[in-house]
Amino acid sequence: MDRINTIGRRKTAISRVYLSAGSGAISVNGKDYKQYFPTEVLQIILNQPFSTINGVGGYDVKVNVRGGGVAGQAEATRMAIARALVELNAEFRSPLKKEGFLTRDSRMVERKKPGRKKARRRFQFSKR
């Protein structure tokens, strides 16, 4: 099996994934994924595509991720891993799609408007 290259996005995070057959090593930006994503929730998010197809530990994953925060980066990486698995085997598509791992979450932060404190929050009203 060759190395499969896919990308995933979430908010402002962009994740590039290189998937190959191996022993289950996942490295993110040159670090082990447990070091890069210290909380258990983020580690679970990263492994969701593998647990969905019962393929935990069967693939080596090298990830380059930039932009956004840790949660957005984890979800972008999850999407990229799911896309790579579908490229590897088309039978994985339906279970991964059912879980929603192949759908790009297009929600972005709303921009700040002039005359407002934030996107929708107004400044405190003063009657006098």
Side-chain angles (χ1 to χ4, degrees):
M1 180 184 112
D2 235 21
R3 186 184 283 196
I4 293 174
N5 175 17
T6 54
I7 95 165
R9 293 191 181 95
R10 171 75 171 97
K11 294 188 180 179
T12 57
I14 299 170
S15 178
R16 293 176 296 164
V17 162
Y18 302 91
L19 186 92
S20 56
S23 58
I26 302 175
S27 71
V28 182
N29 291 352
K31 297 179 182 175
D32 182 58
Y33 82 104
K34 291 187 176 177
Q35 192 182 349
Y36 193 86
F37 296 114
T39 62
E40 198 179 331
V41 174
L42 297 175
Q43 291 169 18
I44 290 168
I45 286 173
L46 219 65
N47 280 310
Q48 278 177 328
F50 295 121
S51 55
T52 303
I53 61 154
N54 301 321
V56 177
Y59 306 98
D60 283 346
V61 183
K62 183 179 175 289
V63 182
N64 291 324
V65 66
R66 61 192 318 153
V70 284
Q73 286 185 349
E75 290 181 31
T77 304
R78 176 179 71 184
M79 180 188 191
I81 290 170
R83 281 179 168 178
L85 290 169
V86 167
E87 211 171 297
L88 178 73
N89 186 347
E91 291 174 15
F92 294 154
R93 184 170 176 82
S94 63
L96 290 170
K97 192 165 177 69
K98 193 169 144 269
E99 293 293 326
F101 300 151
L102 299 174
T103 308
R104 160 73 156 109
D105 189 344
S106 62
R107 294 175 297 170
M108 298 289 273
V109 175
E110 196 174 332
R111 77 174 197 90
K112 186 197 172 298
K113 317 295 188 305
R116 299 271 175 101
K117 198 168 189 157
K118 290 164 67 179
R120 299 186 177 197
R121 174 87 169 103
R122 290 177 165 85
F123 290 110
Q124 186 172 333
F125 178 75
S126 172
K127 203 168 196 171
R128 284 175 193 94

